[in-house]
Amino acid sequence: MPTGAHRQVTATYRVQVRPGFDLDAAAGLTDYLARLGVTHLYSAPLLTATPGSAHGYDVVDPRAVNPELGGEAARRRLVQALHEAGLGLVVDIVPNHAGVAVPVANPAWWDVLRRGRSSPYARWFDIDWSRPRLLLPVLADDAGRAGGPDAPDALDDLKIADGELRYHEHRYPIADGTDGGSPRDVHDRQHYELVSWRRGDTELGYRRFFAVSDLAGLRVEDPEVFDATHAEVLRWVAAGEVDGIRVDHPDGLRDPAGYLARLRAAAPETWLVVEKILEYGEELPDWPVDGTTGYDALASVCGLFVDPAAAGDFTVLDTTVTGRPTSWPSLIHHCKRTVVTRLFAAELNRLARLVPEVAPESARAALAELAACFPVYRGYPPHGARHLAMARSEAGRRRPDLTTTLDTVTAHLRDPDDELAQRFPQLTGAVMAKGVEDTAYYRWNRFVACNEVGGSPARFGVPPAEFHRATAARHERLPAGMTTLSTHDTKRGEDVRARLAVLAELPADWARRVRDWMARVPLPDPSLAHLLWQTAVGAWPIERDRLHAYAEKAAREAAASTSWSDPDPRFEHALHHLVDRMYDDETLHAEITAFADRLTRPGWSNSLGQKLVQLTMPGVPDTYQGTELWENSLVDPDNRRPVDFAVRRELLDRLDAGWLPPVDASGAVKLLVVSRTLRLRRDRPELFTGYHPVPVHGPAAEHAVAFDRGGVLAVATRLPVGLARRGGWGRTWLSPSVNKVTELFTGRVYSDERVLLAELLADYPVALLVRSKPVEAS
């Protein structure tokens, strides 16, 4: 392949490269990935990140490959290994923010701290230069000392060493001509001021990623900043070493449309997808991209295997166990209103100053209410005006006392040239993410299989007709967008979601069981308890330490009974006691195991069904590392655990030798479905050029979903518990519409006009029928 040429991205495999699994380790997977059937390795960010970073989204130097991953030489070895295996590379880039937790590791940030506004890098970061000094919220919480957290005592630990200010392990530069005197004297002369970490939310002077002060916002809307931060990745693209780019968090950018236009112009032949989370019914803006990273597909596919009829039962259960009804819209508003006024108080203050004709307190209140009422992550032309109007209407209904101020603020927001109109959308996306994904999703636990990025806990299941409409629209509008079931950001892995979907077919049994458990091991926060019991049966058997870690993170994210900033030791003791009882109480442990066992086989059916649908539907399917076998990961960092590739290689060898595995705990059957489907997509792309539903006829038709991609027909079982209750498929059938088809997983050939599902799905709950080419008459 000539230099600069690009490979078409047909299917990707996500690898979480990190210091413990570097680029050479990733290169060692190339033969396995080629045999699996993907066309591209899809990597976590590769540029130099904060030392020790386990994820790479805190880039500190965009000019070079992370030395902890092996550096540039290892990247070249990876590219060579991929190309020798006939594969390509898709990389993840992070344009919105940079890591600043270790200033000395970030040359640009270090120079800004040393020189202040006169630094040539000052324009890189979204800093409020109207403030006299740049606040760095890094000091320990010394509230126990007299005078509060920022009393002189808090800076007593400062030292000067090697021409730098040192605070324990933290290093900071000293501006030219400002040395001399005590460490505190020197500190007071700097362009920055070290303050208590608690002041970050209320006084920070730079835009950050969500509420993470260690991630400073970048100004990639500035062409010079764009060029400097993208030169290395674009060099790889120009050399034909990168075929696809995944753009992290475009909602955080000041001008996402302009940014993507510039990126597309710089990489015109590159497959380009954006991590844009769409609310239900929202469409991707008309950007020059191939699609999203697939959360919309995830919600649609997983919902297909949830029984919508159980919504009422789970609502009653949730009301019973929590002692109160929960309104999802009201909870969203409450959580968003809380985070915008607490976590984003500094951002609110900065925005309020852009409405000088209104008193600051009133401006802050109006902006907070509009952000809390905004119906999507952020508005984009031309639909942004509609979303703003919706937010203004709802804000006025909730706060009629702010009518005049809301009108004034909204007038600013309707002017695209107004700085407030350009900055406010950066806030609404962050408020949605922190208020809904990271708070409300952990507070309303009616049925946690629906509490997933890109979905909505209020939408209980996706009927087949709705799924087909959405998928047909995807085929027409964004046929090359990514599809996925698991990512590094999902709240739980795909197979855990598949097992939890079985609960929707057992609402009465689950209600009896969980009410009994909650009564025997009470927790002061019953909603969180319901989350933990669902998590336990969905991921069982799960190691004790993993469930402890998840329980603590979930509780602190919910911020109802404890939190990250103010952990409640008494509540967290009760929380961990609950988890320990699951393992130490022999009776309880046996009951959890028995109930989880009831979910296992139908959960496997759901897993195979949703995987086949995701791999065959329109789009570019991604397989998250390890999920080609059963995988019970929870939220990060649990989903970044090491993957046993040796086991996967061995099982693939057996499959390729002709073994047809049973549906059992080994997960080999999932590997069969994944490898055979991906190979077919790679080798026979002409079979995947259309989309239309295939009707299923007979007494159990509602338990099947089928569609034709233009030469291959996918069939999956849904609601397997209900199917078993009715006695199986009976005379349920579908028509392949041709005289002869071969089922890919079993190799069986069907030549009848009608194929009975009882025969087609006798071995596996899924089938992939490949039509034989008609023989032309001589």
Side-chain angles (χ1 to χ4, degrees), residues 606-625:
N606 287 340
S607 288
L608 295 175
Q610 65 183 18
K611 198 65 185 174
L612 179 66
V613 169
Q614 181 243 336
L615 294 178
T616 55
M617 69 189 295
V620 174
D622 177 57
T623 300
Y624 185 75
Q625 60 176 34

Side-chain angles (χ1 to χ4, degrees), residues 75-103:
R75 184 194 69 82
R76 290 180 178 176
R77 290 192 293 271
L78 171 62
V79 169
Q80 180 178 354
L82 288 169
H83 288 185
E84 288 176 353
L87 303 176
L89 179 63
V90 172
V91 296
D92 203 338
I93 65 171
V94 191
N96 174 69
H97 53 267
V100 297
V102 182

Side-chain angles (χ1 to χ4, degrees), residues 513 516-517 520-521 533 536-537 540-544 547 578-597:
R513 186 77 279 175
D516 176 53
W517 289 340
R520 286 155 57 187
V521 193
W533 289 112
V537 298
W540 203 261
I542 180 173
E543 296 84 351
R544 185 194 300 241
L547 192 53
L578 186 158
V579 173
D580 281 330
R581 283 285 298 276
M582 293 180 181
Y583 297 89
D584 297 335
D585 184 318
E586 293 183 3
T587 301
L588 183 59
H589 186 85
E591 291 174 356
I592 297 170
T593 301
F595 194 92
D597 285 347

Side-chain angles (χ1 to χ4, degrees), residues 83 105 358 416 493 544 691 749:
H83 288 185
V358 174
R544 185 194 300 241
Y691 183 87
V749 176

